[in-house]
Amino acid sequence: MTPVRVGVFGLLGSGNLGNDGSLEAVLGYLRTEHPEAAVDALCGGPEAVTARFGIPATRLHWYRGEYRTASRAGAVVGKGAGKLVDVVRTAAWVRRHDVVIVPGMGVLEATLPLRPWGFPYSLFLLCASGRLLRTRVALVGVGAAPIGERATRALVRWSARLATYRSYRDTQSRDAMRGMGVNTERDEVCPDLAFALPTPPASTPSGPPGPVCVGVMDFHGGNDDRARAEEIHRRYLDGTTRFVRALIEEGRPVRLLTGDACDASVVAAIQEAVDSPLVTAAEATSLADLMKETAAADAVVATRYHNLVCALKAGTPTIALSYASKSDALMARMGLGAYCHPAREVDTEQLLELFRSLEKRSAELRRTLAERNQVAARQLKDQFAALTSALFPAAVPTHTSRKAL
């Protein structure tokens, strides 16, 4: 008998706080329930994952320029060769494990611009390798959405079919996979994994109106919006900037939040346009940092999904600048379904009206969030118990026979 070998897989350590927060939640579960497990990662940013989480990590792609546009012949050849090399690299990594977990993330969706031969191809290699090598692959609390582009849809569908275990962060995700031809009869729905992270103490608003957190995003629409990407981005930025300016004119301090390294350009554009000492930018490096920021605010208006998760878990009344059904589903689950506004068409007057309604109901909404967070905690406890039953049998055989193949 040997300690169970667990791999974690995904675009982890690449600057997206939500992805890393999902990993943090799964590592917390493993360290509590399976402290004997030997854990390592195949991920986008191995150095960052090792430095922060203390686990060995391997680069997801052999070709280091994977996420740069291939405009020269050498780059095109490098990318093509990398796809072939990654078949062998992924299979070799999977073979060394008893279990591989894909922790949360929107790995089965294309709500943001996505090429089929990028992450969808990598996920397919993982799940296919797991099936061929008899390593259990689990997609845990993942997001999914209908996909129009045929190649991406096919890769996502087969990835889901080949996985040993699937659970989703909302009902819409499960429905989307069923609509793409995946048998979801045994698949569970649970809250986003980030709800399993520790919650900072919530502040109690008192005195004059306090700060407002505005979570921004380098938003250009989804995978089907490439032709209108710049127009969508301009509308989003202009509408969000006008909203921030309106809050400043009322004397409200505004704290700008991000969720990915690419969002810094939006923060800079808003600060330049508004030019007020009342507008400051948070330097969050984790979901824990984001939760502390949102817990200290009177209200939150945010775009990125995990900005919303952090605000709702902190118990702060929140408005979603929604760009996908996952945001609407999250807000409905937490009892704030009425407080969604489209990110593609930010109307400052309508958003201000919604914001004033939110603040009038602040005490009531804080009580609602406290109740919904208790439910989410119980559901995630059940999710982790189900994961243990599915992936960690009482005795795990060694891979002696596999290595002899």
Side-chain angles (χ1 to χ4, degrees), residues 128-383:
S129 297
R131 180 60 64 94
L132 289 171
L133 298 170
R134 292 181 293 175
T135 295
R136 296 181 293 276
V137 175
L139 311 180
V140 183
V142 298
I147 298 173
E149 202 277 322
R150 293 178 64 181
T152 303
R153 184 173 66 248
L155 288 167
V156 164
R157 179 174 63 244
W158 278 106
S159 296
R161 285 176 173 175
L162 293 169
T164 305
Y165 176 93
R166 296 180 298 268
S167 65
Y168 307 98
R169 63 190 179 192
D170 52 53
T171 303
Q172 287 87 335
S173 293
R174 184 171 62 183
D175 292 345
M177 294 315 299
R178 183 185 298 122
M180 284 191 275
V182 177
N183 183 351
T184 62
E185 185 177 339
R186 296 184 179 181
D187 298 354
E188 298 294 330
V189 173
C190 62
D192 188 274
L193 293 174
F195 281 99
L197 297 175
T199 306
S203 64
T204 302
S206 59
V212 179
C213 283
V214 176
V216 301
M217 180 178 179
D218 186 24
F219 179 60
H220 291 77
N223 210 44
D224 298 329
D225 297 320
R226 293 179 184 274
R228 302 189 304 119
E230 289 308 314
E231 175 192 351
I232 290 171
H233 179 69
R234 185 175 62 255
R235 287 185 179 181
Y236 169 77
L237 180 58
D238 289 349
T240 306
T241 301
R242 287 195 297 271
F243 176 70
V244 170
R245 184 179 291 114
L247 292 177
I248 294 302
E249 289 173 351
E250 295 177 2
R252 300 294 294 270
V254 173
R255 189 79 161 151
L256 298 177
L257 308 178
T258 61
D260 197 298
C262 64
D263 300 333
S265 61
V266 179
V267 169
I270 291 174
Q271 287 186 304
E272 181 179 359
V274 177
D275 191 22
S276 168
L278 290 176
V279 181
T280 57
E283 296 183 0
T285 60
S286 67
L287 293 193
D289 291 343
L290 286 176
M291 286 185 205
K292 290 177 183 178
E293 293 284 351
T294 58
D298 278 6
V300 176
V301 179
T303 311
R304 279 200 179 274
Y305 180 82
H306 278 96
N307 276 195
L308 297 174
V309 170
C310 288
L312 296 169
K313 181 168 172 56
T316 305
T318 301
I319 293 174
L321 292 181
S322 176
Y323 66 90
S325 61
K326 63 184 177 183
S327 300
D328 299 332
L330 172 65
M331 296 293 284
R333 175 193 284 271
M334 299 303 290
L336 276 74
Y339 292 97
C340 296
H341 186 83
R344 285 174 171 79
E345 302 287 345
V346 179
D347 184 302
T348 305
E349 292 304 317
Q350 291 182 11
L351 184 55
L352 282 168
E353 183 178 346
L354 195 62
F355 178 77
R356 293 183 182 110
S357 169
L358 182 85
E359 292 218 300
K360 286 180 181 178
R361 297 181 58 200
S362 178
E364 172 195 347
L365 295 176
R366 286 177 181 273
R367 289 192 295 270
T368 297
L369 288 172
E371 295 168 359
R372 298 300 174 95
N373 275 307
Q374 290 178 354
V375 173
R378 290 195 298 269
Q379 291 173 330
L380 278 170
K381 184 177 180 179
D382 293 341
Q383 155 75 98

Side-chain angles (χ1 to χ4, degrees), residues 15-72:
N16 185 287
L17 302 187
N19 292 355
D20 290 355
S22 296
L23 172 59
E24 182 180 355
V26 164
L27 290 178
Y29 150 72
L30 291 172
R31 287 163 178 166
T32 300
E33 301 297 330
H34 305 281
E36 78 290 349
V39 183
D40 71 303
L42 184 64
C43 59
E47 295 85 1
V49 167
T50 297
R52 180 176 172 192
F53 299 107
I55 61 174
T58 302
R59 192 171 71 249
L60 180 59
H61 301 289
W62 173 79
Y63 181 62
R64 292 182 178 273
E66 174 64 28
Y67 296 109
R68 294 195 296 268
T69 301
S71 57
R72 296 183 178 180

